[in-house]
Amino acid sequence: SYELTQPPSVSVSPRQTASISCSGDKLGNKYASWYQQRPGQSPVLVIYQNNKRPSGIPERFSGSNSGSTATLTISGTQAMDEADYYCQAYDSSTAVVFGGGTKLTVL
Amino acid sequence: QVQVVQSGAEVRKPGASVKVSCKASGYTFTSYAMHWVRQAPGQRLEWMGWINTANGNTKSSQKFQDTVTIVKDTSTSTASMELRSLRSEDTAVYYCARGRSSGPDWYFDLWGHGTLVTVSS
């Protein structure tokens, strides 16, 4: 079955750039999406189709996907960005798959 | 207001079944698929399956093929997910999520607030 792997945690200082990786076999050949989940809340879509931002998502969120790794980048990180982030992709054999999640800490 | 509202928390004994509903409003129900995703305490999001709200076709993850049924009621713009033969490991928050697709891809742009299902004897 298809799997996506994320680092369990990433730390960043306020106003700096945070990068969260998501790796999977030939992930660059698929679309990757990213979700933000704050404690006790439902996930929120922040990036879809590798690099598109839904309406209402700040420009500081961006995404890329190449080779076997998709990356979510948060520029000028703010305290409110502290949350869990999940990558997600679709595989023809497994259907929808989520990564294990990355806890972003803004120190 | 575009939203999906889920039914309330449930408590069940092992071996029982539970049905969680998800009522859509503010958009055309049959224009978007509805997916179900669960999250056990402290765990990752886990995709369970989806329903084509236009024709009723469903597809479930292999893990849930024998225990999950997803249905829709177009008259009330409601999708429901029934999980049978519950075990303690099924204790989780269950989300419905509106699915968007452009070919071999799914992403979820609208999520319900989640329904906590607790399985305990």
Side-chain angles (χ1 to χ4, degrees):
Chain A
S1 61
Y2 194 76
E3 295 184 357
L4 294 173
T5 301
Q6 299 180 234
S9 62
V10 168
S11 298
V12 64
S13 299
R15 299 179 298 281
Q16 298 306 302
T17 297
S19 295
I20 300 173
S21 63
C22 173
S23 63
D25 184 44
K26 298 178 183 176
L27 180 57
N29 292 342
K30 309 178 190 299
Y31 279 130
S33 300
W34 291 89
Y35 301 86
Q36 176 193 69
Q37 186 179 35
R38 296 189 175 105
Q41 297 188 16
S42 302
V44 173
L45 178 70
V46 295
I47 293 290
Y48 66 100
Q49 292 179 351
N50 297 333
N51 54 21
K52 297 179 181 178
R53 275 181 295 105
S55 171
I57 300 301
E59 289 185 11
R60 63 179 182 274
F61 288 87
S62 63
S64 63
N65 186 15
S66 178
S68 61
T69 303
T71 303
L72 173 69
T73 302
I74 309 173
S75 305
T77 307
Q78 301 181 9
M80 65 186 299
D81 299 330
E82 190 163 282
D84 292 331
Y85 290 86
Y86 292 90
C87 61
Q88 174 253 310
Y90 174 84
D91 176 75
S92 57
S93 61
T94 310
V96 175
V97 60
F98 289 94
T102 298
K103 181 177 181 59
L104 177 67
T105 301
V106 182
L107 299 170
Chain B
Q1 183 184 1
V2 177
Q3 61 181 355
V4 286
V5 177
Q6 299 185 221
S7 50
E10 304 272 13
V11 179
R12 293 287 187 273
K13 294 187 184 304
S17 299
V18 68
K19 193 170 187 177
V20 179
S21 65
C22 171
K23 183 175 177 59
S25 61
Y27 70 93
T28 302
F29 177 68
T30 53
S31 293
Y32 300 88
M34 194 68 77
H35 292 246
W36 290 88
V37 177
R38 77 176 186 181
Q39 187 172 37
Q43 301 301 309
R44 72 171 66 189
L45 299 168
E46 181 177 29
W47 180 77
M48 300 179 71
W50 72 285
I51 186 165
N52 182 323
T53 54
N55 61 21
N57 288 345
T58 62
K59 178 179 173 64
S60 299
S61 164
Q62 267 196 322
K63 176 176 179 178
F64 298 105
Q65 271 181 356
D66 296 332
T67 57
V68 164
T69 300
I70 302 173
V71 298
K72 69 173 178 80
D73 182 344
T74 304
S75 68
T76 60
S77 299
T78 299
S80 300
M81 182 280 301
E82 181 183 38
L83 184 59
R84 300 178 295 278
S85 303
L86 289 167
R87 305 184 298 178
S88 58
E89 307 92 274
D90 295 315
T91 294
V93 175
Y94 289 78
Y95 295 101
C96 61
R98 189 174 76 172
R100 306 290 296 269
S101 176
S102 57
D105 174 39
W106 279 114
Y107 60 94
F108 311 115
D109 67 343
L110 180 67
W111 292 68
H113 53 79
T115 297
L116 176 62
V117 174
T118 303
V119 183
S120 173
S121 55

